[in-house]
Amino acid sequence: MNQIPEIRTAIQKRFADIDIFHHVNNVAQQSYFDVGKSEYFTRILECDLMDVRPMIVTVSTSTSYMGQIRREDEIEVVTRTEKIGEKSITLFQQIVCRGEVRSESRSVMVAFDFERQESVRVPDRWRQQLLGEPPVHS
């Protein structure tokens, strides 16, 4: 059985991410998940997301907040593929501080052809890479 790849992305907080209570605000946490997604797809699919065809667009996100993230906390985003459908990819992400999950998010993303303005089938090569499967040679 193959191991689904997991990518850990260290996050550098910005001054603007911190609220008056010295916590990272929820909007900033969403941007951290985006940073994790970008690194995940770049490293796993081995391409620049701005140049890949079809493109990948987010159609749904759901986030749960389990604990506070403070200004001094060192955090990372852990990203992995949870499921791949015909045209969609579901990512599961967590923001982790010292081994403790502070928030988690699920994002449904679709492969999208902007010229035709429609979702398309997730390419087989992407499926293999996202699920950690060896390439199939014909």
Side-chain angles (χ1 to χ4, degrees):
M1 184 163 169
N2 299 314
Q3 180 74 22
I4 293 177
E6 177 180 277
I7 299 295
R8 294 179 173 268
T9 305
I11 298 296
Q12 179 181 1
K13 293 182 290 304
R14 301 165 298 188
F15 179 79
D17 297 345
I18 310 301
D19 64 22
I20 196 166
F21 305 109
H22 299 255
H23 300 117
V24 172
N25 68 55
N26 294 356
V27 173
Q29 290 185 49
Q30 292 303 313
S31 71
Y32 300 164
F33 286 127
D34 287 344
V35 169
K37 284 182 193 111
S38 180
E39 182 172 354
Y40 182 78
F41 284 122
T42 299
R43 288 178 56 190
I44 300 299
L45 298 182
E46 301 171 339
C47 62
D48 182 342
L49 280 181
M50 301 309 277
D51 294 330
V52 69
R53 299 294 181 267
M55 295 192 85
I56 301 169
V57 296
T58 302
V59 296
S60 174
T61 60
S62 172
T63 303
S64 297
Y65 302 95
M66 286 84 127
Q68 301 173 35
I69 301 172
R70 298 186 183 278
R71 180 180 58 193
E72 65 276 5
D73 290 339
E74 290 186 23
I75 58 172
E76 64 182 353
V77 174
V78 181
T79 306
R80 69 175 172 81
T81 298
E82 187 172 62
K83 178 173 79 170
I84 300 179
E86 182 68 20
K87 297 180 179 183
S88 66
I89 300 164
T90 302
L91 292 185
F92 179 68
Q93 297 179 283
Q94 296 176 312
I95 296 179
V96 178
C97 177
R98 294 184 302 276
E100 181 182 307
V101 176
R102 301 292 172 90
S103 61
E104 60 186 28
S105 179
R106 276 187 179 78
S107 298
V108 178
M109 312 184 82
V110 297
F112 196 80
D113 183 326
F114 274 90
E115 288 181 18
R116 297 188 335 222
Q117 286 294 295
E118 64 185 15
S119 58
V120 296
R121 186 174 192 284
V122 174
D124 290 335
R125 183 178 68 81
W126 291 10
R127 288 174 192 280
Q128 292 168 343
Q129 290 169 294
L130 292 168
L131 295 175
E133 297 174 354
V136 175
H137 301 287
S138 35

